[in-house]
DNA sequence: TTGTAAGCGTTATCAT
DNA sequence: ATGATAACGCTTACAA
């Protein structure tokens, strides 16, 4: 391994001078700096990150911790974050939490908070206050954080407005009996709404129903305990066979992944989309464009989400001194109308 | 920040004792060790990774560098790797190279080789010999490495056998005019085959054609310069409109992502799958199960791939002394028959 | 069985 | 404008 001392020796200067020169400190004359850079390059010198981090506390790395890497939405989101982080001159590392609390804690404690100048985190299990302790004082921006009095800045998807737009679109194309797939009716009844992503999407649905004077009941919601493809596919058959949901002609799935597999479930039963039942999803994953029929959806603009998130975080990293109340931003979204809601 | 000294002071021992105790060195009596662990826990002590890494060269982190995080196959693969790495008691970090050479180099130089005990890398642009220099002597296992004389261990997907199986399956169900979507006919003619993943899949196709005495020509291949959804969808229309490909009744796409969007392209033109054209893909991504029609495919067993890769790597990490010629393993695969190749 | 002390390669604070 | 020289927090011979 070639260290800073080697470079210093080869260039005939001290280690300190090398350190300054390589990081562009104006104290060093351009001529010596240039020479040092050349020597460093010719020796293939690379700064040791551990040493730098130990001494300065900075690494130039931003961590992204995400629940699942193998679902389209989180993976497209991580990719967008990685690109934006790289664009801003940092290195991105991505970690999978698997939505397990132990894992979230381990990741934060053992690597993210230690190796990263800041982190982007989508908390599933760990509460805000706990996060503060785990963050080791490092800046953090949360995604879709729902805690009532936030500790960190956060960037959210447009849950309520997006859901409102989705349901209104179904109403606009003439749907009379609309079902939201994902949430539970109990949640609505118990009024635990504002405190979660699901709840906020539910709120949006309600607003759309109300606006059109549609009375709401259990037959407007189908609860999905786990938002995975297989249960979603099964849910389609279950819905068609259940008396409660007879006459459904419009479905709003709380994620595109649910929607695509639900649509597959409808196909299993010979139900045509959109002719028999119109469908719309949420997220705007790439697959939604290529399904047959293609899926209408509320697309979260991931570039905008990444831009806002990374910008907020880097602002914290670079002006350590700021603060004030935690900010809450919302990512842009758009309604994308495709075949699954196309009516003659 | 609470350091080892704080723990030592609180427990009334020296820093060294704390260090030994916390890492389970048998020299320390169980009673003192227990006490130290308790004190450490109560102070929320966490070892500083930079310091540990600087001193010992070990971090307990394994890096996974992958071309694109937002395509189903690589993201499902990274997820499988992450799970397996965690199962083996290491922490996984994932980085996106975006298939750019600069990026691959930056990632290896600036973080992976520095912070990780070892790395799993899927080289797109950087040659094996270059990698050796960038690896800083850290162990590395490559994925689908195709270099003729390998420097590192590698684990490959079953390109040739998988492609052979796919094409044979199409032949078995009665396809007469089969097209492979992805590779170029020129590659075959120029015999640059064994040197790439594409080439090895092509080899498998050829073997299947030969076995059934099918004569092979340009009309059996449709070149796709970029394996992305949009060009694949467009390729379907182009194929149908081209004189060269009249009468095609079976299509083998070199990836599932190509297959799903190609299938969408066929739907755009009113062509039915499998009735008019049968289709099979390669990879076995989750989406392939939920498309309409569901997609037959050669599924790479990602758990097996991850198991073999991580095992090889950890073996290197933990017995620094081994070596011998680089090993080359192949991940298990299976033919999955679904609707897209179902004939009455 | 435990403590002492010398680094690991940087960065930052002084002097010069 | 540059050079000595302490840290940073941990690991690990070696000494006690």
């Amino acid at each position: 391994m070639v260290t800073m001392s080697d470079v210093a020796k080869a260039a005939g200067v001290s280690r300190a001078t090398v350190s300054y020169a390589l990081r562009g400190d104006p104290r060093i004359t351009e001529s010596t700096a240039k020479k040092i850079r050349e020597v460093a390059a010719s020796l293939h010198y690379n700064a040791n990150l551990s040493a730098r981090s130990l001494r300065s506390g900075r690494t130039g790395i931003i961590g992204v911790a995400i629940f699942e890497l193998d679902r389209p939405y989180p993976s497209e989101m991580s990719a967008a974050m990685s690109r934006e982080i790289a664009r801003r001159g940092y290195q991105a590392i991505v970690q999978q939490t698997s939505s397990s609390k132990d894992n979230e804690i381990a990741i934060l404690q053992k690597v993210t908070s230690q190796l990263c100048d800041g982190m982007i985190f989508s908390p599933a299990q760990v509460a805000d206050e706990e996060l503060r302790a785990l963050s080791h004082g490092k800046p953090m921006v949360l995604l879709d954080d729902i805690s009532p009095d936030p500790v960190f800045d956060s960037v959210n998807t447009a849950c309520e407005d997006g859901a409102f737009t989705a349901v209104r679109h179904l109403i606009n194309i003439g749907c009379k009996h609309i079902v939201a797939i994902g949430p539970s009716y109990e949640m609505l009844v118990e009024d635990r709404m504002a405190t979660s992503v699901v709840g906020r999407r539910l709120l949006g649905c309600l607003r759309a129903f109300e606006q059109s004077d549609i009375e709401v009941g259990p037959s407007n919601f189908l609860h999905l305990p786990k938002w995975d493809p297989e249960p979603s596919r099964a849910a389609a058959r279950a819905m068609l066979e259940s008396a409660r949901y007879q006459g459904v002609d419009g479905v709003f799935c709380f994620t595109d992944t649910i929607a695509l597999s639900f649509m597959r479930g409808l196909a299993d039963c010979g139900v045509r989309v959109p002719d028999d039942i119109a469908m719309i999803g949420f997220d705007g994953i790439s697959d939604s464009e290529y399904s047959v029929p293609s899926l209408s959806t509320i697309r979260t603009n991931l570039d905008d989400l990444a831009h806002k998130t990374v910008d907020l975080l880097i602002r914290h990293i670079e002006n350590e001194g700021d603060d004030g109340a935690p900010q809450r931003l919302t990512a842009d979204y758009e309604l994308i109308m495709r075949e699954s809601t196309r009516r003659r």
Side-chain angles (χ1 to χ4, degrees), chain A residues 163-181 205-206 208-209 212 214-222 239 244-254 277-280 343:
Chain A
F164 172 81
T165 305
V167 171
R168 200 190 43 189
H169 177 56
L170 290 176
I171 294 171
N172 284 346
I173 63 166
C175 294
K176 299 299 176 202
H177 182 173
I178 294 170
V179 178
I181 312 284
C205 297
L206 287 186
F209 284 134
S212 302
I214 296 179
E215 207 153 318
V216 167
S219 72
N220 294 109
F221 303 95
L222 194 160
M239 183 186 85
R244 171 183 288 171
Y245 300 105
Q246 286 317 302
V248 167
D249 59 356
V251 157
F252 166 40
C253 293
F254 269 30
I277 296 182
M279 290 200 54
I280 186 166
R343 287 278 164 88

Side-chain angles (χ1 to χ4, degrees), chain A residues 49 52 58-63 80-93 117 307 310-311 313-314 317-318:
Chain A
L49 210 59
R52 165 173 297 173
R58 296 286 300 271
T59 59
I61 298 176
I62 287 177
M81 295 288 178
S82 293
R83 277 193 301 269
E84 180 67 11
I85 288 168
R87 218 181 54 73
R88 298 290 298 262
Y90 284 76
Q91 292 252 345
I93 66 176
D117 292 346
H307 176 78
V310 174
D311 192 65
L313 183 61
I314 289 183
I317 292 174
E318 295 179 358

Side-chain angles (χ1 to χ4, degrees), chain A residues 23 47-62 88-90 113-118 138-139 313-320:
Chain A
R23 285 175 313 113
N48 179 312
L49 210 59
S50 302
R52 165 173 297 173
S53 160
L54 178 59
R55 183 63 239 236
S56 72
R58 296 286 300 271
T59 59
I61 298 176
I62 287 177
R88 298 290 298 262
Y90 284 76
S113 73
Q114 300 235 4
L115 296 181
C116 299
D117 292 346
K138 292 273 182 71
L313 183 61
I314 289 183
R315 196 167 304 177
H316 275 105
I317 292 174
E318 295 179 358
N319 336 317
E320 327 205 14

Side-chain angles (χ1 to χ4, degrees), chain A residues 171-307:
Chain A
I171 294 171
N172 284 346
I173 63 166
C175 294
K176 299 299 176 202
H177 182 173
I178 294 170
V179 178
I181 312 284
S184 71
Y185 184 63
E186 286 66 42
M187 184 175 221
L188 188 159
V189 173
E190 294 166 15
D191 200 27
R192 297 181 282 117
M193 306 252 283
T195 62
S196 71
V197 168
V198 194
R200 279 164 45 233
R201 292 193 185 174
L202 207 41
L203 233 37
C205 297
L206 287 186
R207 192 148 57 85
F209 284 134
E210 269 165 27
Q211 196 191 53
S212 302
D213 294 318
I214 296 179
E215 207 153 318
V216 167
S219 72
N220 294 109
F221 303 95
L222 194 160
H223 181 49
L224 225 45
K226 201 157 190 315
W227 293 8
D228 278 344
E230 209 43 52
S232 306
R233 182 181 192 162
R237 175 178 296 274
M239 183 186 85
L240 295 171
E241 288 171 350
S242 152
R244 171 183 288 171
Y245 300 105
Q246 286 317 302
V248 167
D249 59 356
V251 157
F252 166 40
C253 293
F254 269 30
T255 74
D256 285 349
T257 293
I258 294 177
L260 292 174
S261 33
F262 192 91
M263 198 153 76
R264 172 67 231 200
L266 293 180
D268 292 337
C269 302
V271 170
R272 293 162 310 163
V273 174
D275 310 74
D276 301 325
I277 296 182
M279 290 200 54
I280 186 166
F282 199 112
D283 284 343
I285 62 177
S286 161
D287 305 314
S288 65
E289 193 174 350
Y290 298 95
S291 60
V292 182
S294 58
L295 180 69
S296 296
T297 188
I298 304 297
R299 189 175 89 89
T300 296
N301 185 328
L302 291 179
D303 290 331
D304 182 61
L305 175 67
H307 176 78

